[in-house]
Amino acid sequence: MAAISASLVKELRERTGLGMMECKKALTEADGDIETAIENLRKNSGLKAAKKADRTAAEGAVVTRVADDGSYGVMLEVNSETDFVARDDNFTAFADQVVAKVFETKSEDVASLMEGGLEDARQQLVQKIGENISVRRAVVVDAPEGGVVGAYVHGSRIGVLTVLSAGNADVAKDIAMHVAAINPSAAHPEEMPQAELDSEKAIILAQPDMAGKPAEIAEKMVQGRLKKYLAENSLTQQPFVKDPNQTVAEYVKAAGGEVVSFTRFEVGEGIEKEEVDFAQEVKDQARRS
């Protein structure tokens, strides 16, 4: 059996990020062959990653990338179990790798994007940091001819891509910042989901001042309040966050364009988070040790 030197262990640690004892064990089992040790560790990482795959990963980061000419942009959400890991350099480097692939391929199909090297990298990261890591979703948006895509990420947790019919990157970024802060329901009033309008109408009809009103008066009141609701929740009709004296539509028009669309990601939205009793978790761990 080959002697396992400290320098060999150190090299394997640097290449894998794993602990000293795990590296020494892997080298011993591979008879000192570092490439075989790495191959075996990668095979084992698949098993370790699978054991963590059922844990809820509702933290993480949103990353974006926009073409230099503003013709298209991409956005990605990568999840981790804790916010602490989402700030780790290894996690952010992995997220950058994936968004680069989305940008290169212009594909939103996460499964196909992760095939091969990126899935191997994900499994190695899971093994290294001990948390479930998942690539949740990706989006690619294109600007119309003469248009521009803008992007803004707030604290890595909220990301927005906006599309304008014309204008420049700074204006598009300003609108993305507005969307991140205000979170409108739709870009234009006519695009408001019917289910949301129906829900709002039911709320209006249930308000005390609607009781006993003749049908025609009640309908006028409902339509008036729905119009106000649409103005408050449609991007183009909202007061621009940087200058409330003008609407978003007016701000973009002054730059020579119109709002086409927006896409907004917020880390963990829609994921049911598991409530953790940390005190009980510590007790259970102490009992097991």
Side-chain angles (χ1 to χ4, degrees):
M1 180 177 291
I4 308 302
S5 66
S7 62
L8 198 59
V9 174
K10 181 175 182 292
E11 182 182 350
L12 185 57
R13 287 189 68 191
E14 289 174 351
R15 291 180 63 178
T16 63
L18 299 175
M20 181 181 69
M21 295 307 296
E22 191 165 4
C23 288
K24 186 174 182 179
K25 180 182 177 183
L27 285 165
T28 301
E29 292 175 349
D31 199 23
D33 186 321
I34 194 166
E35 297 302 329
T36 300
I38 290 173
E39 184 179 341
N40 290 339
L41 285 168
R42 290 180 67 184
K43 290 176 181 176
N44 292 335
S45 73
L47 295 174
K48 293 190 176 184
K51 290 177 182 177
K52 297 177 175 67
D54 60 350
R55 295 190 197 166
T56 302
E59 298 297 331
V62 174
V63 287
T64 62
R65 184 171 292 188
V66 176
D68 291 339
D69 62 359
S71 61
Y72 76 100
V74 304
M75 184 161 56
L76 175 79
E77 180 183 353
V78 183
N79 296 125
S80 58
E81 293 178 46
T82 64
D83 183 55
F84 176 79
V85 162
R87 298 192 300 270
D88 180 82
D89 289 344
N90 296 292
F91 179 90
T92 55
F94 171 70
D96 288 341
Q97 274 187 283
V98 182
V99 80
K101 185 69 174 293
V102 178
F103 187 79
E104 175 193 348
T105 62
K106 295 188 72 173
S107 171
E108 300 177 349
D109 186 342
V110 171
S112 64
L113 285 166
M114 294 302 293
E115 287 178 355
L118 285 178
E119 177 58 20
D120 289 344
R122 187 194 70 82
Q123 291 187 6
Q124 288 179 45
L125 185 59
V126 169
Q127 181 178 14
K128 183 174 183 179
I129 66 176
E131 281 195 13
N132 185 23
I133 304 295
S134 64
V135 179
R136 184 183 182 195
R137 52 183 171 168
V139 66
V140 180
V141 299
D142 291 294
E145 186 175 353
V148 61
V149 173
Y152 174 74
V153 177
H154 183 75
S156 81
R157 293 191 60 84
I158 298 174
V160 179
L161 293 176
T162 52
V163 181
L164 306 184
S165 65
N168 59 62
D170 289 337
V171 174
K173 182 179 179 181
D174 279 345
I175 302 307
M177 188 181 300
H178 174 101
V179 172
I182 308 302
N183 193 15
S185 298
H188 305 277
E190 60 271 20
E191 295 170 355
M192 189 68 66
Q194 188 60 47
E196 192 165 331
L197 287 175
D198 292 343
S199 175
E200 184 63 22
K201 184 174 182 178
I203 291 171
I204 293 169
L205 288 170
Q207 291 170 355
D209 64 342
M210 299 296 292
K213 292 286 193 302
E216 64 275 10
I217 294 176
E219 184 60 24
K220 285 182 180 179
M221 291 175 67
V222 167
Q223 293 307 314
R225 293 180 189 182
L226 282 178
K227 184 177 180 180
K228 182 181 178 183
Y229 177 82
L230 285 169
E232 290 174 345
N233 292 278
S234 301
L235 172 60
T236 53
Q237 304 302 303
Q238 291 176 334
F240 180 42
V241 71
K242 283 189 170 183
D243 180 7
N245 292 318
Q246 60 181 332
T247 65
V248 167
E250 290 168 342
Y251 174 70
V252 177
K253 185 177 180 180
E258 296 179 348
V259 173
V260 176
S261 64
F262 73 85
T263 306
R264 185 182 190 274
F265 281 0
E266 186 165 347
V267 168
E269 59 188 347
I271 298 176
E272 187 174 343
K273 298 183 182 181
E274 181 182 358
E275 296 296 327
V276 178
D277 185 338
F278 289 104
Q280 187 60 47
E281 190 175 274
V282 171
K283 288 178 184 178
D284 291 342
Q285 187 172 346
R287 193 177 296 115
R288 290 193 296 269
S289 61

